[in-house]
Amino acid sequence: MAASDDGAPVGRRVVLGLLGLGAIGVIAGSRIQTELSRLLAPVQLRDPTGLSALIPLGDTWRYYSVSGTVARRGTRFYTLKVSGLVENTATYSYADLQALPQTSFTDTFHCVTGWQVPDVPWSGVRVADLLERAAPTDAAVGVRYHSFDGVYSVNMTLEQARADDAIVVLTMYGKPVTHDHGGPVRIYAGSMYGYKGTKWLSEIEVTPDNRPGYWEDRGYPLNGIIDE
Ligand SMILES: Nc1nc2c(c(=O)[nH]1)N[C@H]1C(S)=C(S)[C@@H](COP(=O)(O)O)O[C@H]1N2
Ligand SMILES: [Mo]
């Protein structure tokens, strides 16, 4: 299962193959489906296509990366920039972020393609707190999250970024965010679809607009609020 190590995207044939396995899972019942997701967990499905949502794996994580391999970054070398239309540009180390007030809550993760993971314990620093320290100027409209994968970025409106459940995540399940989940630091916004949650976060840029991000250029809605 080399795909997990070299970070190669899951190919169409693999997905179609897994769909076949999934169909067997459905026919044979949920026990096999559970076994199947357990079996596939170490494959760490990298799925830029969203096709893996069609595989009936149950409520398991699908590991997404639109770029190939993302270089690992240890917490000691991590920095988060807060930049753009602000009075106070800042650079936070991981320890700086740990020293700020932490917000914790448990919430269901929703990918817009249909899969979800219930009851995920999240904790980290509210984006609102970082914005308050940065002091956005009057021209500020949105917030652009950039990834050190060099490819991914996405906006939220300033108002969405200030929501109580929009956080710079330091821990998931009570443990540091793993590399595959976008560690050392990713974004999570409880009321929004997963694609608003930039993994491998490098910069929060306050912007004069709310322009489309990576997936929104490819058809996902700019307003990523989950409508249930
Ligand atoms: N840098 C980066 N962040 C990203 C993505 C990505 O491909 N690259 N995919 C997004 C999408 S569409 C989803 S559903 C979640 C998936 O999070 P996970 O990989 O921890 O399951 O990450 C989001 N953040
Ligand atoms: Mo997603």
Side-chain angles (χ1 to χ4, degrees), residues 48 61-67 109-113 115 147-149 152-153 172 180-182 186 193-200 214-215 220:
W61 286 100
R62 276 75 160 170
Y63 294 88
Y64 277 26
S65 176
V66 295
S67 59
F109 183 92
H110 297 267
C111 174
V112 71
T113 61
W115 58 272
S147 172
F148 63 77
D149 70 7
Y152 202 82
S153 62
M172 281 171 74
D180 285 322
H181 277 306
R186 75 175 296 165
Y193 284 114
Y195 64 90
K196 293 290 187 179
T198 301
K199 301 178 15 166
W200 307 295
Y214 183 92
W215 278 120
Y220 288 8

Side-chain angles (χ1 to χ4, degrees), residues 32-91:
I32 292 211
Q33 217 176 83
T34 307
E35 287 308 312
L36 192 64
S37 43
R38 205 164 285 155
L39 191 76
L40 285 169
V43 181
Q44 300 181 336
L45 224 48
R46 286 166 210 276
D47 179 21
T49 60
L51 271 175
S52 77
L54 302 172
I55 309 166
L57 290 176
D59 292 338
T60 55
W61 286 100
R62 276 75 160 170
Y63 294 88
Y64 277 26
S65 176
V66 295
S67 59
T69 308
V70 179
R72 286 169 190 272
R73 193 160 301 181
T75 53
R76 284 177 58 200
F77 303 103
Y78 179 79
T79 55
L80 171 62
K81 250 176 90 172
V82 180
S83 65
L85 300 176
V86 295
E87 302 292 345
N88 316 309
T89 301
T91 303

